[in-house]
Amino acid sequence: SGGREGHAPLEAQMPGVTQIGTEEICSDTGAKVSFARSKTRTWPMPPSAYAASTVPLAIAALNEALLPEAHHPQSNINMDSPNVINDQILIRINKQGESDESPTPEGVHQDGTEVSSVTLIGRRGVTRGGESRIWKLDQPAGNYSSDQFGSMKKRLSIKTPIHFSWENCLFDKALTEPWESVFFNDRLVKHEARGFDGVRPCQRDVIVNFLRKPLLDGSDTMKVGGRIVPIV
C-alpha cells in the first residue's frame, strides 16, 4: 500500500519491492545461500484472500503510527516525497529434511527501510529455534556459528565475522503465538530470524512489513484507473 503521511492508506494492488544496499545485507560471503539480495527485488503478490481482508489496511495503519517525524536519509530514497510505501510480504519457510532452511539465510542484516515489522501467522510442528534477534548497528552483517545462545548445530557451519559480539544482541525471542509481532526502526538496528526444527515437515508463516519513502528510480508503482503509475 502507499499514501501520504497522516492520510488513510491507499491500496497499490502491486507487488512489494525491496532495494537494499550492499553494506546492509550479505549476498554471498557470510550468507548461507548465495543470492543477489542488494538488487531491486520484486516479491510475489499475497494471496487474494489476504488482499481482500481487512488485515492489510489495519497493519498499514498500525505501522504508520510508529513512523518517526523525520525519516533517516538514504541515497536511493526520495526523501522529499510526502508518500510512504508499506510493502507487505507473506513468507512461508518449510523444514522438510536435514538441510539448513532458514527464514533469513543472509544472517544479520537491514532491510533498507525506515520501520520494519514481522508478524507471526502461525507455526506448525516447530519445537525449537526460530528466534527473532535484534542487534546493535555495531554487529557485523552475515551469519555466525556459536555453541551457545540458541545454536542448533553440533559443528560450526560458517566462520563467525570479525568484531562479532553477543553484547550487541538487544532482543532474542521466538515468535510462537499467532499475531505476535516485533517492530523496529531499521535505520537504528540490525536483525535476523534463526533457523528452526521440529516434527517434519514443519513450517513458519509470517507477514513482513516494510515502511519507507518511495524509491528514486520509480520502482514503486500502483494501479490508478486501470493504469500502472509510479509512486514518487
Side-chain angles (χ1 to χ4, degrees):
S1 64
R4 293 176 181 267
E5 291 184 270
H7 292 72
L10 301 175
E11 294 185 63
Q13 304 178 63
M14 293 296 292
V17 176
T18 54
Q19 198 177 88
I20 308 175
T22 55
E23 72 283 359
E24 295 190 4
I25 196 167
C26 292
S27 293
D28 38 53
T29 303
K32 293 181 180 179
V33 178
S34 293
F35 181 80
R37 297 180 177 88
S38 59
K39 66 178 182 179
T40 300
R41 185 176 180 184
T42 301
W43 294 78
M45 288 285 286
S48 57
Y50 174 81
S53 74
T54 60
V55 174
L57 291 180
I59 289 182
L62 176 60
N63 279 268
E64 185 180 10
L66 301 175
L67 284 172
E69 291 186 8
H71 291 231
H72 294 77
Q74 297 188 66
S75 60
N76 63 328
I77 296 293
N78 181 4
M79 300 304 300
D80 295 327
S81 175
N83 296 314
V84 174
I85 304 298
N86 176 205
D87 286 324
Q88 299 185 12
I89 302 167
L90 277 63
I91 299 176
R92 166 173 288 178
I93 301 297
N94 293 303
K95 174 75 173 179
Q96 300 185 24
E98 294 296 331
S99 58
D100 189 21
E101 291 91 350
S102 173
T104 55
E106 62 271 23
V108 179
H109 67 286
Q110 291 170 272
D111 294 327
T113 69
E114 184 67 33
V115 171
S116 292
S117 68
V118 180
T119 297
L120 182 72
I121 299 174
R123 307 196 313 173
R124 297 165 186 82
V126 177
T127 58
R128 61 193 179 113
E131 298 89 356
S132 292
R133 292 181 181 166
I134 305 295
W135 299 88
K136 296 178 183 178
L137 288 177
D138 293 335
Q139 189 73 355
N143 282 280
Y144 54 88
S145 288
S146 175
D147 58 1
Q148 60 175 325
F149 215 6
S151 174
M152 294 173 55
K153 293 196 170 184
K154 296 181 180 179
R155 62 183 178 83
L156 301 182
S157 60
I158 196 166
K159 187 176 181 180
T160 299
I162 299 174
H163 305 308
F164 175 94
S165 173
W166 288 116
E167 293 182 359
N168 289 330
C169 189
L170 302 171
F171 177 85
D172 176 49
K173 182 184 184 302
L175 305 180
T176 59
E177 300 300 324
W179 301 110
E180 192 172 6
S181 304
V182 57
F183 300 83
F184 51 92
N185 189 308
D186 187 63
R187 297 300 86 204
L188 302 180
V189 295
K190 297 178 182 178
H191 66 284
E192 63 168 325
R194 301 297 292 169
F196 59 85
D197 205 348
V199 182
R200 302 173 189 165
C202 51
Q203 61 188 209
R204 175 181 183 265
D205 297 333
V206 297
I207 305 170
V208 177
N209 280 263
F210 299 139
L211 275 81
R212 54 167 173 75
K213 296 281 190 178
L215 296 168
L216 280 171
D217 64 5
S219 294
D220 298 306
T221 58
M222 67 183 301
K223 289 184 178 179
V224 177
R227 297 184 301 117
I228 297 176
V229 299
I231 304 173
V232 295

